[in-house]
């Protein structure tokens, strides 16, 4: 059977990826953010995930407005990165888990979540940065990602967007899907996004809302599902809507205990945050 | 049209800016960025941008780009192309 071993939420602003690429994690003003991942790495060694399911929002790379799904799940054997406008990157391939992904799709459809399926999908920095934070290189650049990845895109680009409540319920349904998988998988859920920010408008960080978010994600995630999308735009900026990824993560990785978390603002123009929750039972 | 706030749903606004966003989406590729830099107006014309959209692209002004229907996730691609002289 599949086991949900934990959930992790993290920011993914491009400056984080650039610091990793330049091997300047200890030198940047937000060095404490990177330092906080030490606990995460120790936990990963002990908890041994086979698969990381990444909830993220595409940043105008794989999906365009000609056909914009609300939820899209990668069901491919592998995923590639691509030029996002900064210049052609070093080509990378991320191993998928088509067997588990298709099982999740079947379970979701039976659960009345009509998701789009992607047999090809270019993986955006939002997902890749999260993986690089989890599995860093010994030296410069990015490390090898030792786990399979299932990308799940939540539309954060153009409204109408799924509500916070719907994203949380999607996470819950994915949790059920993982637990009903007949094979053996240890699964970590990742929500990559936020916290508060608004691109194109500098300095729009909302400390109070970010603090509330972290408190509620830990103790009462359903409270955050009471917000409408428009309320989140007012409280956390247009890109604060990326909170959806954390809510989906927490829906799937319910209960458990906080291993570590950090809030560091600003990272670039974002309220930077990370939180790791251990949901293993009986093996700690 | 009433003021449009990015991130919120406005059916009228959703109909705006498709060509502008389409053009920006292509700037993911180095080849497209080179073509845009060589002839910004000509490149915009290939995607059928209207006068308001072309003027907004020339200005690189976020308020004008938003008003023309530009979406930040696609405008970010335009941000990554070096600005011509005289633009803000």
């Amino acid at each position: 059977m599949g086991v949900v071993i934990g959930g992790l939420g993290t920011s993914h602003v491009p400056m984080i990826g650039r610091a990793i690429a330049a091997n300047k994690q200890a030198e940047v003003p937000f060095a404490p953010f990177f330092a906080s991942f030490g606990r995460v790495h120790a936990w990963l060694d002990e908890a041994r995930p086979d698969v990381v399911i990444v909830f993220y929002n595409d940043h105008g790379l794989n999906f365009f407005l000609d056909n914009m799904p609300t939820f899209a799940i990668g069901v491919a054997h592998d995923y590639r990165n691509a030029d996002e406008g900064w210049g052609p990157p070093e080509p990378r391939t991320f191993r998928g888990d088509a067997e588990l992904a298709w099982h999740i799709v079947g379970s979701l459809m039976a659960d009345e979540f009509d998701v789009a399926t992607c047999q090809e999908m270019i993986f955006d920095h939002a997902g890749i940065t999260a993986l690089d934070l989890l599995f860093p290189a010994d030296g410069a650049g990015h490390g090898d990602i030792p786990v399979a990845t299932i990308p799940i895109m939540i539309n954060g680009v153009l409204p109408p967007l799924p509500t916070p409540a719907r994203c949380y319920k999607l996470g819950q349904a994915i949790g059920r899907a993982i637990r009903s998988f007949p094979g053996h998988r240890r699964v970590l859920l990742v929500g990559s996004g936020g916290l508060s920010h608004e691109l194109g408008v500098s300095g729009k960080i909302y400390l109070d809302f970010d603090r509330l978010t972290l408190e509620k994600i830990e103790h009462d995630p359903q409270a955050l599902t009471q917000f409408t999308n428009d309320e989140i735009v007012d409280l956390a900026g247009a890109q604060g809507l990326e909170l959806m990824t954390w809510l989906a993560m927490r829906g799937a990785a319910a209960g458990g205990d906080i291993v570590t978390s950090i809030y560091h603002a600003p990272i670039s123009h974002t309220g930077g945050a990370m939180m790791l929750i251990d949901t293993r039972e009986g093996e700690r | 049209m009433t003021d449009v706030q990015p991130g919120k749903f406005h059916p009228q606004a959703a109909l705006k800016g498709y060509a502008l966003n389409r053009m920006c989406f292509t700037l993911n590729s180095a080849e497209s960025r080179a073509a845009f830099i060589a002839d910004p107006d000509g490149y915009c014309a290939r995607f059928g941008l209207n006068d308001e959209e072309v003027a907004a692209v020339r200005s690189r002004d976020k308020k004008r780009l938003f008003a023309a229907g530009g979406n930040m996730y696609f405008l970010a691609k335009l941000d990554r192309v070096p600005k011509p002289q005289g633009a803000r």
Side-chain angles (χ1 to χ4, degrees):
Chain A
M1 62 179 274
V3 179
V4 174
I5 62 167
L8 178 136
T10 183
S11 302
H12 63 228
V13 281
M15 193 178 280
I16 295 173
R18 282 200 288 277
I20 293 172
N23 200 23
K24 298 208 164 172
Q25 292 94 321
E27 297 165 39
V28 291
F30 53 99
F33 176 77
F34 286 113
S36 71
F37 275 84
R39 288 282 299 281
V40 176
H41 302 148
W43 182 86
L44 287 167
D45 284 346
E46 175 204 329
R48 306 180 320 282
D50 304 305
V51 184
V52 175
I53 295 178
V54 183
F55 297 102
Y56 72 107
N57 60 305
D58 185 73
H59 291 61
L61 181 65
N62 189 82
F63 298 94
F64 183 62
L65 304 175
D66 59 338
N67 188 353
M68 181 62 75
T70 298
F71 300 122
I73 176 168
V75 291
H77 292 290
D78 52 51
Y79 307 93
R80 288 172 296 108
N81 63 341
D83 193 345
E84 299 188 31
W86 292 295
E90 174 197 341
R92 297 174 68 182
T93 301
F94 302 88
R95 177 165 55 92
D97 186 341
E99 190 186 357
L100 176 60
W102 280 112
H103 169 81
I104 290 172
V105 167
S107 180
L108 287 175
M109 296 302 274
D111 232 342
E112 302 182 354
F113 278 90
D114 311 315
V115 291
T117 52
C118 300
Q119 300 202 30
E120 286 186 53
M121 201 174 188
I122 302 171
F123 204 21
D124 185 282
H125 76 267
I128 293 172
T129 299
L131 293 178
D132 286 341
L133 285 166
L134 291 171
F135 304 106
D138 286 336
H142 61 79
D144 291 324
I145 306 302
V147 295
T149 302
I150 298 176
I152 300 182
M153 187 285 289
I154 297 175
N155 175 23
V157 172
L158 187 73
L161 310 175
T163 63
R166 186 67 173 160
C167 294
Y168 187 72
K169 287 177 186 171
L170 173 75
Q172 291 178 311
I174 287 174
R176 289 192 288 274
I178 293 165
R179 289 189 289 275
S180 70
F181 183 66
H184 176 80
R185 292 288 192 286
R186 300 172 64 78
V187 182
L188 172 67
L189 285 301
V190 169
S192 179
L195 295 178
S196 65
H197 62 302
E198 181 145 345
L199 300 176
V201 183
S202 60
K204 225 172 176 182
I205 293 176
Y206 302 81
L207 297 169
D208 290 346
F209 187 76
D210 287 346
R211 298 277 184 202
L212 175 80
T213 295
L214 290 172
E215 183 203 325
K216 295 298 181 190
I217 284 282
E218 178 178 1
H219 298 292
D220 184 16
Q222 296 227 13
L224 296 170
T225 68
Q226 305 305 308
F227 290 112
T228 67
N229 298 66
D230 284 2
E231 284 168 346
I232 290 180
V233 171
D234 288 334
L235 292 167
Q239 275 70 49
L241 288 163
E242 293 176 358
L243 174 60
M244 308 294 191
T245 62
W246 286 56
L247 283 170
M249 172 277 287
R250 193 62 170 130
D257 299 305
I258 298 285
V259 176
T260 185
S261 79
I262 187 171
Y263 182 71
H264 187 100
I267 299 178
S268 190
H269 38 54
T270 301
M274 181 274 287
M275 178 178 285
L276 171 63
I277 301 153
D278 186 335
T279 59
R280 294 174 296 168
E281 287 174 15
E283 59 172 284
R284 272 176 283 169
Chain B
M1 192 189 321
T2 54
D3 282 350
V4 170
Q5 189 176 351
K8 294 188 179 178
F9 183 48
H10 306 269
Q12 309 90 328
L15 293 166
K16 283 197 84 180
Y18 186 79
L20 167 62
N21 290 316
R22 183 89 189 80
M23 187 280 289
C24 290
F25 179 61
T26 67
L27 299 176
N28 275 314
S29 91
E31 192 182 356
S32 300
R33 292 193 295 275
F36 176 89
I37 290 165
D39 177 13
D41 287 2
Y43 193 77
C44 288
R46 279 167 53 186
F47 294 91
L49 273 65
N50 63 31
D51 291 346
E52 181 193 7
E53 291 169 321
V54 173
V57 169
R58 277 197 207 120
S59 77
R60 300 284 186 109
D61 183 274
K62 280 290 181 312
K63 278 188 183 155
R64 293 179 69 176
L65 287 159
F66 282 139
N71 178 282
M72 193 56 231
Y73 287 97
F74 302 107
L75 296 178
K77 312 299 178 180
L78 181 63
D79 286 343
R80 288 165 202 166
V81 178
K83 289 177 187 170
Q85 289 201 336
R88 275 195 262 174

